[in-house]
Amino acid sequence: MKYAFFPGCVLEGAAKENYIATTKVAKALGIELVEIPGWICCGASHAQDIDELTITAINARNISLAEAMGLPLLTVCNTCTLMLRKAKTQLDNGEKEKVNQILAKANIHYAGTSDITHLLWVLVGEYGLAKLKAMVRRPLTGLKVAAYYGCHLLRPPAIMNFEDYANPQSLEKLIIALGAEPIEFSAKLQCCGFHATYPAETDVVRITGQINQSAVKAGTDCIVTPCPLCQMSLDINQQEGQVVVGCSQEMPVLHLSQLIGLALGFSPADLGINMLVSGREHLLARLS
Amino acid sequence: MRQITYIIERFDGARKFTQEYSFSHQPGKTILWGLITIKDTLDPTLAFTAACRSAVCGACAIRVNGQATLACETPLDATLDRFGDTLTLAPLQNFTVIRDLVVGWEEKTRHLADDQTWLIPQDKFSVQNGCRQSAADFKKINTQAACILCGACASECSKLTANHNDFLEPFTYSKVWKFVADTRDKSAPERIKAILDKGLWKCLHCAECIAKCPKGLAPGEDIARLRRLSIQMGYTDSPGARHALAFLQDITDTGRLNEAKLSVRSIGVLGSIKKFPLALKLIRRGKLNPFYFPTKVKGHDQIKAILNALKESEQP
């Protein structure tokens, strides 16, 4: 299995531990990730608020780079997945000709041949959970894990149609395949607010507190999320959020790749788990 | 006989409680059929609103297992397949509950009125000559015109749930956009100016409103349309606008986001100083490198060529 890898900006910055864990996990699973040379920021839904056509063209270039590699495009970020799929949907439904005229000035052509997918979808779909289970070296027996999906891997459902947005199960199934126990919690489908961190900071901090409190109440050991933006928001805003909602227990929030990596036998340090801001000691004690 | 159970979140005017009702399954029915069956055969005190039974009046929106939906058009069997034979029914979120599943619209209609969500016709129109537009012009606002004010988007809006004091219902933004884009209307600039201070940049981008609208509207997209127009009008001095502009600037400059500069660009130096303890924590954990600046990506000249081509294509 081979994919054109679109890491996204945050994996080069504040979530570099996800880059480390993703590349290690993919290699261990026999999934070849070839980073797209010269990929560009997907716009993250923000640049789209300034000029949508420009970002559709930019993302057409991103996708065309994967097409030139002859590979489907894989990301590990909910928002990158949505932004790229949204551009692809627009291009494949009437925008292609107009955008290709623009891309022609840069000697690029968008054909529409590369699919856009996310690591979670690949593992649950094409790779298969039975195969993943067979690769587990250290089952996460007894570890209680709350599945937190994040918005952009599920919605809008017309573009993100991998599974039922109202009742997704892919993460829970993956948690079971790793030997851990999925824990239901009320904030499973809630928005972390990351994209309004600056304009609605007070709300975002409170939301963070509420989500983590919900996980604490459910009695889970950690949260896992397929989105590095959700991970960042829930992790780095957590201590402020706890003060707002009056919750004293910290809740570690893991990237999907980190949870898989633990089950594959990598050490927490190998997976950058030491870079967690909240609940690190609690999780390390639980794992040892 | 297969039994279906509705667990209904009720409110009698003073007290909130849940009540379970079980009734015999019938194939090919709707969620509303179940409610009517309960009211007709089990409990005449159960209060809910419904009128047209055709997904036109918008009166019967409720939450089923945490998802806002029109009770009259939601197939019961598909819902049971999705969630099992016991469903939890609740009134819409972010509304004042009057009784059981009945919610109040007073605050919401006040917002619609405050924002003048009606046509303010251009001066060339008159009572005598009418106020017509071409079919092509109407097509531009056709989607927004389909809003039936059911309240599903407002119920699911993550921002309203977090704090409704500085944000409007998603349908209000869609209505405002509809009149901004209406070729017969004369008040687009005033409408944009007025909406700026009513949370335009506070949407969380959760896409709940887009997922839940039963009529195919995308209020989140209408918010983005209003934002774009506000930027074109020169309203760039807010944290949200500056944040969005920073993304576009980074794409232009190097192709990738510069996290170290993002805070200062979005909330200024003073705002960023307040965030210094968090920044320090991130630096200590190795998550933030203040000395890392992305360099131009491979093929950066292509970005320039694309931007130039776009500029040329915009010229008349």
Side-chain angles (χ1 to χ4, degrees):
Chain A
M1 293 175 79
K2 196 171 173 181
Y3 293 90
F5 182 40
F6 185 95
C9 298
V10 75
L11 260 71
E12 282 201 331
K16 51 177 76 74
E17 71 279 6
N18 195 17
Y19 193 99
I20 296 166
T22 298
T23 45
K24 282 188 177 152
V25 161
K27 199 173 170 198
L29 293 175
I31 300 171
E32 196 179 339
L33 299 182
V34 188
E35 185 167 334
I36 298 171
W39 60 268
I40 300 172
C41 171
C42 71
S45 78
H46 300 290
Q48 280 84 345
D49 281 350
I50 306 295
D51 184 345
E52 193 175 32
L53 181 60
T54 296
I55 305 305
T56 304
I58 291 292
N59 280 327
R61 176 188 174 275
N62 280 328
I63 302 166
S64 77
L65 293 173
E67 289 175 356
M69 295 161 78
L71 295 171
L73 187 155
L74 180 141
T75 87
V76 289
C77 170
N78 286 10
T79 296
C80 291
T81 311
L82 174 59
M83 295 306 122
L84 291 163
R85 284 181 72 91
K86 189 176 171 189
K88 184 171 170 57
T89 305
Q90 289 168 340
L91 291 161
D92 294 349
N93 290 283
E95 293 277 290
K96 186 156 89 176
E97 203 178 321
K98 184 165 102 187
V99 171
N100 266 336
Q101 278 175 8
I102 289 165
L103 295 181
K105 299 282 168 68
N107 293 318
I108 307 166
H109 181 79
Y110 169 87
T113 50
S114 280
D115 196 14
I116 292 148
T117 190
H118 185 285
L119 179 65
L120 175 65
W121 296 357
V122 165
L123 292 175
V124 175
E126 212 179 330
Y127 192 84
L129 291 176
K131 192 171 165 191
L132 177 67
K133 195 177 174 182
M135 299 297 280
V136 168
R137 297 280 166 273
R138 196 179 67 177
L140 304 176
T141 314
L143 189 72
K144 294 177 176 169
V145 185
Y148 182 81
Y149 283 82
C151 299
H152 290 170
L153 204 60
L154 299 170
R155 294 185 299 267
I159 301 171
M160 309 304 282
N161 48 12
F162 178 75
E163 61 186 318
D164 181 1
Y165 71 89
N167 191 20
Q169 294 296 322
S170 58
L171 258 183
E172 282 87 344
K173 286 180 187 163
L174 185 136
I175 290 166
I176 292 169
L178 301 177
E181 182 191 348
I183 298 294
E184 275 295 322
F185 76 131
S186 61
K188 167 177 158 175
L189 299 178
Q190 211 174 309
C191 170
C192 74
F194 176 82
H195 287 294
T197 298
Y198 290 109
E201 190 191 357
T202 318
D203 298 334
V204 176
V205 166
R206 189 182 323 107
I207 289 169
T208 303
Q210 287 165 347
I211 292 169
N212 289 311
Q213 188 177 38
S214 161
V216 168
K217 278 186 183 162
T220 189
D221 293 313
C222 63
I223 293 174
V224 68
T225 174
C227 180
L229 309 180
C230 296
Q231 193 280 339
M232 197 190 324
S233 197
L234 297 183
D235 182 38
I236 72 176
N237 293 322
Q238 187 173 141
Q239 285 154 15
E240 271 184 273
Q242 280 182 310
V243 175
V244 176
V245 301
C247 174
S248 59
Q249 189 187 322
E250 287 190 17
M251 178 54 60
V253 185
L254 291 180
H255 297 284
L256 174 67
S257 56
Q258 290 178 320
L259 189 77
I260 299 168
L262 288 171
L264 295 181
F266 290 105
S267 72
D270 282 342
L271 302 163
I273 288 176
N274 52 333
M275 290 164 81
L276 268 180
V277 173
S278 307
R280 184 175 65 158
E281 281 71 26
H282 168 74
L283 181 72
L284 293 178
R286 184 70 189 76
L287 290 172
S288 59
Chain B
M1 187 79 184
R2 182 180 172 190
Q3 290 292 296
I4 306 305
T5 302
Y6 280 9
I7 300 172
I8 301 184
E9 287 182 20
R10 301 195 61 185
F11 177 61
D12 64 8
R15 189 174 63 99
K16 281 183 179 175
F17 58 103
T18 56
Q19 193 159 351
E20 273 188 43
Y21 301 98
S22 291
F23 51 92
S24 298
H25 173 260
Q26 283 187 34
K29 299 296 185 184
T30 63
I31 295 286
L32 179 60
W33 168 83
L35 285 172
I36 293 169
T37 301
I38 293 168
K39 196 170 174 74
D40 286 351
T41 63
L42 299 172
D43 185 354
T45 71
L46 181 67
F48 56 90
T49 48
C52 75
R53 303 193 192 192
S54 308
V56 175
C57 76
C60 67
I62 54 165
R63 297 190 98 210
V64 179
N65 284 35
Q67 311 289 323
T69 191
L70 291 181
C72 74
E73 74 158 356
T74 306
L76 181 60
D77 288 330
T79 312
L80 299 175
D81 287 347
R82 199 182 216 182
F83 297 121
D85 282 0
T86 299
L87 302 175
T88 303
L89 275 60
L92 294 180
Q93 282 188 128
N94 304 325
F95 280 77
T96 310
V97 180
I98 295 173
R99 281 286 190 286
D100 299 339
L101 303 175
V102 182
V103 295
W105 274 78
E106 212 170 287
E107 185 197 12
K108 316 295 176 191
T109 46
R110 198 172 57 239
H111 290 160
L112 287 170
D114 288 348
D115 289 293
Q116 297 190 299
T117 51
W118 49 75
L119 189 75
I120 302 174
Q122 290 173 22
D123 297 337
K124 65 181 177 187
F125 297 116
S126 66
V127 176
Q128 291 74 30
N129 300 324
C131 184
R132 297 170 69 88
Q133 69 185 157
S134 68
D137 281 341
F138 177 68
K139 212 175 162 193
K140 292 177 194 161
I141 53 169
N142 194 13
T143 305
Q144 289 80 5
C147 173
I148 56 172
L149 288 177
C150 66
C153 60
S155 166
E156 309 303 277
C157 174
S158 301
K159 173 64 184 85
L160 280 183
T161 305
N163 173 11
H164 65 270
N165 293 320
D166 56 1
F167 200 64
L168 298 171
E169 295 69 34
F171 60 71
T172 306
Y173 294 106
S174 279
K175 294 251 177 234
V176 170
W177 173 254
K178 175 179 175 285
F179 291 107
V180 165
D182 192 322
T183 52
R184 300 165 301 175
D185 194 271
K186 70 170 180 183
S187 297
E190 291 79 11
R191 292 181 190 280
I192 293 286
K193 198 164 181 259
I195 208 83
L196 274 172
D197 293 332
K198 296 188 176 180
L200 185 60
W201 287 94
K202 290 183 188 286
C203 162
L204 307 185
H205 293 209
C206 72
E208 285 278 14
C209 57
I210 303 172
K212 306 292 168 59
C213 175
K215 305 311 279 185
L217 274 79
E221 293 292 342
D222 292 330
I223 290 171
R225 291 180 179 103
L226 289 164
R227 287 175 172 184
R228 275 176 224 134
L229 193 52
S230 76
I231 293 286
Q232 284 169 26
M233 288 170 66
Y235 297 114
T236 54
D237 193 24
S238 70
R242 287 196 297 267
H243 188 63
L245 285 162
F247 272 79
L248 193 58
Q249 192 61 53
D250 283 346
I251 288 171
T252 310
D253 290 348
T254 65
R256 293 189 194 159
L257 192 63
N258 185 331
E259 285 178 345
K261 284 203 280 187
L262 195 60
S263 173
V264 175
R265 283 158 145 189
S266 304
I267 52 175
V269 175
L270 273 179
S272 299
I273 288 172
K274 282 188 204 149
K275 292 212 161 239
F276 189 65
L278 177 64
L280 210 60
K281 212 185 292 175
L282 298 183
I283 291 168
R284 245 187 257 135
R285 285 284 198 259
K287 284 176 80 73
L288 184 67
N289 178 357
F291 304 110
Y292 170 74
F293 294 103
T295 49
K296 284 179 183 175
V297 298
K298 189 182 169 207
H300 181 264
D301 51 328
Q302 290 179 324
I303 305 175
K304 262 190 180 164
I306 291 170
L307 295 173
N308 285 338
L310 280 160
K311 250 185 215 158
E312 280 168 29
S313 73
E314 277 165 15
Q315 275 159 16

